[in-house]
Amino acid sequence: METDLHALLTSLRVWDPDVTDLRPFDPDTAPPTPLHLFTSWFADAVAAGQPEPHTMSLATVDEEGRPDVRIVMLHGADADGWTFGTHATSRKGRALSAHPQAALAFYWPVLGRQVRLRGPVTAAPSRESQADLQARSTGALAAALTGRQSEELSSLEELRRASQAAWERARENPAEPSPTWTLYRLRPETVEFFQGDADRRHVRLEYRSTGFGWSRTLLWP
């Protein structure tokens, strides 16, 4: 029997109280910089059991101005920006080379929270990029050594052979570099924190970089 997509969609709930803890958020108590609030909310998401809280949507614009989005992993966040990694030769790597601006979005449904960031993106030096890769798992290195990200694949067997060879190289030489692997850093110009509310009075607090610090503004939900 064919699935009735509309009926399925209308049967679903958002923020079921059995699995979601919608916590009060008083923006007047928010810290002066977004990094501190992000770190606190991230820790809350981990403690609440949010699966893979370090994954995020990355939106870019390609060489022809067409938007694209995908899920990537957060590698770190500090005063210099939020970091993620990919091959410079991948679709997102080429897009960032053509248009070095991007947006990130985190969604933690167990708390009804989102965090959205926008800003310019820069590539870290090769030494820093390779150090970040070496600090990750053997699987991460094997995936990076497999390479050819976003290129057309002739068959799953071709992928199996290339991946197997990459895993062997990663195990034999955990310090082997992946020349095209690049750590990218997004330095946000805006950071929005969204806290869901059961009565739909969602709280949205946006930090805006002023060049001399951060301003804070409430947004209508």
Side-chain angles (χ1 to χ4, degrees), residues 23 38-54 107-111 113:
R23 302 179 182 179
F38 176 84
T39 302
S40 176
W41 276 27
F42 184 84
D44 287 345
V46 173
Q50 173 63 54
E52 301 183 359
H54 56 320
Y107 180 44
W108 300 314
V110 296
L111 297 173
R113 288 176 173 175

Side-chain angles (χ1 to χ4, degrees), residues 15-21 48 109-111:
W15 305 326
D16 187 330
D18 290 336
V19 295
T20 301
D21 178 16
V110 296
L111 297 173

Side-chain angles (χ1 to χ4, degrees), residues 133-215:
L133 178 60
Q134 304 306 328
R136 310 196 73 77
S137 66
T138 301
L141 176 58
L145 292 175
T146 302
R148 302 181 64 180
Q149 190 176 47
S150 303
E151 294 182 18
E152 292 189 3
L153 176 68
S154 64
S155 68
L156 294 180
E157 176 59 25
E158 181 186 20
L159 173 61
R160 187 195 66 79
R161 291 195 303 267
S163 176
Q164 184 176 21
W167 271 93
E168 291 174 358
R169 291 165 59 194
R171 291 190 181 104
E172 292 172 1
N173 182 14
E176 181 168 352
S178 176
T180 59
W181 182 260
T182 304
L183 188 69
Y184 290 92
R185 179 172 286 108
L186 184 148
R187 191 176 184 92
E189 295 175 335
T190 63
V191 184
E192 180 194 324
F193 293 85
F194 172 104
Q195 173 61 68
D197 179 81
D199 295 321
R200 301 300 192 265
R201 292 189 287 269
H202 315 309
V203 179
R204 297 176 62 190
L205 176 65
E206 184 176 76
Y207 288 78
R208 299 173 182 172
S209 177
T210 66
F212 302 97
W214 293 92
S215 66

Side-chain angles (χ1 to χ4, degrees), residues 21-38:
D21 178 16
L22 295 177
R23 302 179 182 179
F25 172 44
D26 181 359
D28 290 337
T29 65
T33 66
L35 178 61
H36 287 87
L37 185 54
F38 176 84

Side-chain angles (χ1 to χ4, degrees), residues 44-140:
D44 287 345
V46 173
Q50 173 63 54
E52 301 183 359
H54 56 320
T55 57
M56 58 189 182
S57 299
L58 166 67
T60 57
V61 176
D62 71 9
E63 300 94 324
E64 298 178 19
R66 298 172 299 185
D68 207 349
V69 67
R70 74 288 285 167
I71 304 297
V72 298
M73 184 185 301
L74 177 69
H75 286 205
D78 55 28
D80 293 325
W82 276 245
T83 55
F84 57 92
T86 189
H87 289 282
T89 51
S90 69
R91 284 183 181 176
K92 50 187 172 293
R94 297 195 304 270
L96 289 169
S97 176
H99 300 286
Q101 294 272 341
L104 303 174
F106 295 85
Y107 180 44
W108 300 314
V110 296
L111 297 173
R113 288 176 173 175
Q114 299 180 54
V115 180
R116 302 169 57 222
L117 308 92
R118 293 187 300 174
V121 177
T122 56
S126 177
R127 179 180 298 179
E128 183 179 351
S129 297
Q130 297 305 311
D132 175 80
L133 178 60
Q134 304 306 328
R136 310 196 73 77
S137 66
T138 301

